Amino acid sequence: MHHKYFAVAAARTALVAAIAAAFPLSASSAFAAPPEPAEPAQKPWLDRSLDADQRARLVVKAMTQQEKLRWVLGYFGHDFGKSKKHPDALPQSAGYIPGTPRLGLPALLETDAAQGVASQAGPAVRERTALPSGLATAASWDPKVAYAGGAMIGSEARASGFNVMLAGGVNLQREPRNGRNFEYAGEDPLLAGSMAGQAIKGVESNRIISTLKHFVLNDQETGRNELDARIDKAALRMSDLLAMELALEQSDAGSVMCAYNRLNGPYSCESAWLLNDVLKRDWGFRGFVMSDWGATHSTVAAANNGLDQQSGHEFDKSPYFGGALEEAVKTGAVPQARLDDMVTRIVRTMFAKGVVDNPLKAGATIDFAANGAVSRQTAEEGMVLLKNEGRILPLAKTVRSIAVIGGHADVGVLSGGGSSQVYPVGGLAVKGLLPATWPGPVVYYPSSPLRAIRAQAPNAKVVFDDGRDPARAARVAAEADVAVVFATQWIGEANDAQSLALPDRQDELVSSVAGANARTVVVLETGGPVTMPWLARVPAVLEAWYPGTSGGEAIANVLFGAVNPSGHLPATFPASEQQLPRPKLDGDPKNPELQFAVDYHEGAAVGYKWFDLKGHKPLFPFGHGLSYTTFAYSGLAGQVKDGRLHVRFKVTNTGNVAGKDVPQVYASPLSVKWEAPKRLAAWTKLSLQPGETREVEVAVEPRVLAMFDEKSRTWRRPQGKIKLVLAEDAAGTGATSVTVDLPASTLDARGRPRAR
Ligand code: GLC
């Protein structure tokens, strides 16, 4: 979150200091501040029988102007440039907003992020449980897995003294090289919105506030603070905004974090269309909008256009929501009612989420064993078996010898860099990797795949080679029955991958090992899609993503079949960058101040939709994922019930081991054109014993069958036929299809049937 250019930050801090000297945070501080009023005898807003709106109105009415202003200006939780951490913020944390103790309102203590309780780099990191990457959770296609992961990390946040967790990242994967793809949930709005929504709900089940971020279209890191994301508004409503809308509906997230980038001109954090029109008017959002750290650029425009709280003001050119806002309210440039609304939204959320009624308690204990198991289960559910020719997997426990090569697999598993970095219990498994500073350090969790593989095959001879010398690794591989090569790709915030190729000559390593042993398995620990020039020569490939705190055990459980893999790709793996809407990444990573536009000309045709539209064949399609068993589909039927399309079908486990399948329903219009030939319309995940058949019925989200009309702000579907394809992936593997004739329908901006 903080730019890696401390020089820039230092200059900004000097500027801030100059401005702060010229405009003290509060004009009244020029004179002795008025005495704080006494604690009120009655605090009716603490009456839990009242609803959050009533309680918020009552307490805001009791606040002084200074007390109101203190709610809209956030502080960073760590030293930054010349600015020192706020004394009351928890060390090496993300943020702090002073409360109103006089009225019984606690401070807001903020931690990052969606993989667990993160720490800013420094001498006293918190060691906490890390979930696998957001992509791994999304690859489970199981909303219950997302919820359980959120509930676990939220419990660690509360136990660590935080009542706000900056989780819920769900920027669509338009750009497979995006340095933060590992934090998000892939390329499809229905899947990503559902999974992020459940994760946020899980976090907030701990009576803390979570976020939905980054609102909106912060879909690449290069130039994120300055780039102007340009896109047709209706296309945005049917893609990134639909993901966020579904996540918000499923979670009722307490806060939305507006993004760094501009959106069709204005900065996201002062875009009246985005914040006031779409989020607050059309979607009826009653929580509060916090800025990203360094994403606030004004006082009057930001306040009037929908920003409710300036986060980490030390990153901005000025504390816009400090003295300058007080002045703006005095002059009427920002109405008093707007300041009251900003504060009401914040404290309403605190009441609604249980933050006021469930104060943080110091010294809570954390069950790291139980939480590590939640992380391992998530990793196991999200691991994607991409290839398994000749059924080389699962490995037999009677295998005589295994060569384990590369990826620091002797000591640990990789995680992604940046503000979401969780530091592991037990310390870093590998030290001294570069970059050592932001968005580093590069963190491996001390969960050794080698140790876990040895535990699975105690009688096998298991040797390790670090993979630095491909020729030596090949010799080691040649001696073994099976070679397991770990290939890693580290990505991080503010740091896009410049290519989809594996870094550090790992393609050469994999080719060399595959050349020496025909029974080679590749395990990928990547932040997102990568190309695989060696694929034809490797019989088995397992995508383990960043597998989290217990990733080593999870990988070994899948390799040996203790767990039957059931992950499916939440994002397309391209065959090459040439297939992308932007083969070359826009912007210049060496010049973060560069102003440029990203033309999202693909509109809502994101990921597999783009590949369908252009007729590109990916390396692996969206939705792809193999199992150690096989499944078959039958009996597909569609039926409109109470105004919604319901799809029924049967799934049979046609193999000889139990397994979980993710049947996917794709919809294609036959009488109109959408942005692309098909859209994911529904899916489910179910576990079947060998030979078992189960009939399932899923309801289709109506917005997925409609086009958004920006002028009328409605979702519209004309009467007509829609083809439904039930398949194992977006390429249509194992597909069966049926056509349904649907009546016309018009839905309001929130997808509700319009009153006739
Ligand atoms: C950032 C990130 C955001 C994070 C915040 C606080 O720069 O974009 O995701 O929550 O700062 O660290």
Side-chain angles (χ1 to χ4, degrees):
M1 121 289 316
H2 35 288
H3 317 289
K4 52 187 173 184
Y5 319 102
F6 277 109
V8 173
R12 281 186 170 173
T13 306
L15 179 63
V16 166
I19 291 170
F23 298 102
L25 272 189
S26 144
S28 58
S29 68
F31 313 97
E36 290 278 311
E39 186 165 325
Q42 300 298 324
K43 295 178 186 164
W45 49 86
L46 298 184
D47 172 356
R48 300 183 188 195
S49 68
L50 300 176
D51 70 31
D53 293 309
Q54 292 167 312
R55 299 174 75 177
R57 267 196 302 278
L58 283 168
V59 75
V60 171
K61 215 151 67 187
M63 285 182 185
T64 66
Q65 191 74 336
Q66 288 308 315
E67 287 170 332
K68 290 177 185 177
L69 285 162
R70 270 202 286 272
W71 282 104
V72 298
L73 183 67
Y75 296 80
F76 187 39
H78 194 39
D79 296 354
F80 175 61
K82 286 212 169 51
S83 63
K84 287 295 169 208
K85 170 183 90 61
H86 187 287
D88 299 335
L90 290 177
Q92 294 178 226
S93 67
Y96 177 78
I97 291 91
T100 312
R102 179 179 75 87
L103 303 178
L105 297 181
L108 293 179
L109 297 110
E110 301 177 324
T111 182
D112 280 307
Q115 273 72 57
V117 176
S119 294
Q120 302 296 327
V125 295
R126 272 168 212 87
E127 296 187 346
R128 294 292 182 271
T129 305
L131 281 174
S133 63
L135 270 185
T137 295
S140 77
W141 289 61
D142 185 343
K144 295 190 294 302
V145 167
Y147 181 92
M152 184 271 283
I153 61 170
S155 72
E156 294 203 0
R158 174 172 273 274
S160 304
F162 296 104
N163 51 19
V164 178
M165 186 168 221
L166 307 166
V170 65
N171 293 82
L172 284 195
Q173 184 165 311
R174 289 177 182 274
E175 173 47 69
R177 294 160 292 197
N178 179 358
R180 297 188 81 174
N181 280 333
F182 73 94
E183 294 185 55
Y184 303 147
E187 69 192 29
D188 179 82
L190 184 66
L191 176 67
S194 305
M195 300 304 282
Q198 290 304 318
I200 293 167
K201 204 176 160 93
V203 169
E204 295 198 338
S205 69
N206 293 282
R207 300 269 183 265
I208 62 176
I209 296 166
S210 185
T211 43
L212 173 69
K213 70 185 189 180
H214 304 84
F215 196 62
V216 77
L217 223 47
N218 176 181
D219 290 4
Q220 71 173 54
E221 288 299 290
T222 304
R224 65 178 181 167
N225 294 84
E226 296 304 335
L227 71 86
D228 184 6
R230 308 200 68 75
I231 189 169
D232 170 76
K233 286 181 177 175
L236 180 58
R237 295 259 199 172
M238 297 187 286
S239 53
D240 286 67
L241 284 179
L242 179 57
M244 295 258 184
E245 183 178 11
L246 293 170
L248 203 48
E249 282 169 11
Q250 294 207 22
S251 65
D252 184 30
S255 176
V256 168
M257 185 190 293
C258 49
Y260 285 120
N261 52 282
R262 297 167 186 274
L263 176 67
N264 293 328
Y267 281 109
S268 297
C269 294
E270 53 191 50
S271 164
W273 176 77
L274 183 65
L275 304 181
N276 286 345
D277 296 352
V278 174
L279 179 63
K280 294 180 179 179
R281 179 196 63 194
D282 291 349
W283 296 357
F285 179 59
R286 296 182 299 172
F288 67 100
V289 178
M290 65 163 78
S291 74
D292 201 338
W293 274 238
T296 305
H297 298 274
S298 66
T299 297
V300 175
N304 288 342
N305 294 351
L307 180 63
D308 299 310
Q309 189 177 72
Q310 176 183 9
S311 305
H313 75 77
E314 298 88 339
F315 290 85
D316 294 312
K317 291 192 175 69
S318 169
Y320 294 108
F321 281 13
L325 180 60
E326 183 182 12
E327 284 309 302
V329 172
K330 273 195 183 132
T331 64
V334 173
Q336 178 67 43
R338 176 62 189 117
L339 174 61
D340 291 350
D341 173 53
M342 291 158 79
V343 180
T344 302
R345 285 174 172 273
I346 296 165
V347 298
R348 179 207 174 280
T349 302
M350 292 171 69
F351 287 122
K353 297 299 172 184
V355 163
V356 177
D357 300 335
N358 301 274
L360 294 166
K361 292 192 184 68
T365 55
I366 293 174
D367 183 344
F368 286 112
N371 291 353
V374 172
S375 180
R376 179 179 47 69
Q377 286 150 10
T378 305
E380 289 164 352
E381 288 283 332
M383 231 164 271
V384 182
L385 182 58
L386 294 174
K387 184 178 180 183
N388 189 22
E389 246 158 40
R391 307 188 64 73
I392 187 172
L393 291 179
L395 300 177
K397 288 186 177 300
T398 53
V399 63
R400 286 197 315 266
S401 57
I402 304 174
V404 176
I405 296 164
H408 295 288
D410 53 336
V411 292
V413 289
L414 185 57
S415 63
S419 59
S420 68
Q421 184 70 66
V422 178
Y423 288 81
V425 176
L428 274 56
V430 184
K431 296 187 171 37
L433 297 174
L434 297 180
T437 57
W438 173 262
V442 178
V443 176
Y444 276 77
Y445 296 138
S447 170
S448 159
L450 177 64
R451 186 165 3 99
I453 287 168
R454 284 183 168 143
Q456 288 283 347
N459 303 321
K461 176 173 175 272
V462 183
V463 297
F464 176 72
D465 180 282
D466 68 13
R468 283 203 186 88
D469 174 352
R472 186 190 64 215
R475 288 195 298 276
V476 170
E479 301 297 308
D481 284 350
V482 177
V484 183
V485 193
F486 285 77
T488 62
Q489 173 215 41
W490 184 80
I491 60 173
E493 185 174 342
N495 196 26
D496 294 325
Q498 290 315 301
S499 144
L500 289 176
L502 284 168
D504 309 326
R505 294 174 48 211
Q506 292 177 100
D507 284 334
E508 186 187 331
L509 169 64
V510 172
S511 296
S512 173
V513 169
N517 188 326
R519 293 166 55 78
T520 290
V521 177
V522 174
V523 177
L524 297 170
E525 294 176 21
T526 62
V530 291
T531 46
M532 306 175 204
W534 32 262
L535 185 60
R537 305 169 58 202
V538 167
V541 182
L542 177 67
E543 174 61 73
W545 313 107
Y546 296 149
T549 282
S550 313
E553 292 81 11
I555 288 168
N557 283 340
V558 169
L559 288 175
F560 283 87
V563 169
N564 185 352
S566 61
H568 286 250
L569 292 181
T572 304
F573 273 45
S576 92
E577 281 97 343
Q578 296 318 308
Q579 296 179 322
L580 301 176
R582 282 163 295 285
K584 184 187 170 312
L585 253 168
D586 288 324
D588 173 1
K590 295 181 184 58
N591 179 2
E593 308 296 316
L594 177 72
Q595 308 255 339
F596 64 100
V598 179
D599 175 14
Y600 288 111
H601 56 80
E602 73 277 19
V606 181
Y608 66 89
K609 296 169 184 169
W610 173 261
F611 277 68
D612 286 349
L613 194 62
K614 296 296 177 186
H616 292 327
K617 186 176 180 331
L619 190 63
F620 292 106
F622 174 84
H624 171 70
L626 302 177
S627 168
Y628 293 146
T629 185
T630 49
F631 299 96
Y633 302 139
S634 60
L636 176 64
Q639 185 189 10
V640 178
K641 279 193 291 194
D642 52 356
R644 289 189 85 157
L645 173 61
H646 290 250
V647 183
R648 227 182 22 260
F649 52 87
K650 290 179 182 167
V651 184
T652 302
N653 178 341
T654 48
N656 51 25
V657 292
K660 295 179 182 174
D661 189 33
V662 179
Q664 301 144 46
V665 178
Y666 293 91
S668 299
L670 299 181
S671 55
V672 291
K673 277 223 170 303
W674 291 344
E675 73 283 349
K678 68 172 182 285
R679 295 170 175 175
L680 177 70
W683 83 89
T684 187
K685 184 167 199 176
L686 67 164
S687 179
L688 294 171
Q689 291 304 315
E692 183 185 358
T693 294
R694 184 137 9 112
E695 179 166 59
V696 291
E697 178 171 316
V698 288
V700 175
E701 163 53 53
R703 281 164 282 190
V704 168
L705 302 176
M707 293 292 279
F708 191 82
D709 173 61
E710 182 65 24
K711 190 163 170 298
S712 63
R713 299 197 337 261
T714 58
W715 293 88
R716 314 177 89 165
R717 186 193 73 223
Q719 183 277 329
K721 291 188 186 315
I722 298 237
K723 183 181 173 191
L724 299 173
V725 175
L726 172 66
E728 292 179 9
D729 56 37
T733 309
T736 167
S737 68
V738 72
T739 299
V740 292
D741 196 335
L742 296 182
S745 133
T746 300
L747 307 170
D748 72 11
R750 290 162 72 174
R752 299 171 304 190
R754 287 244 295 207
R756 286 276 166 227

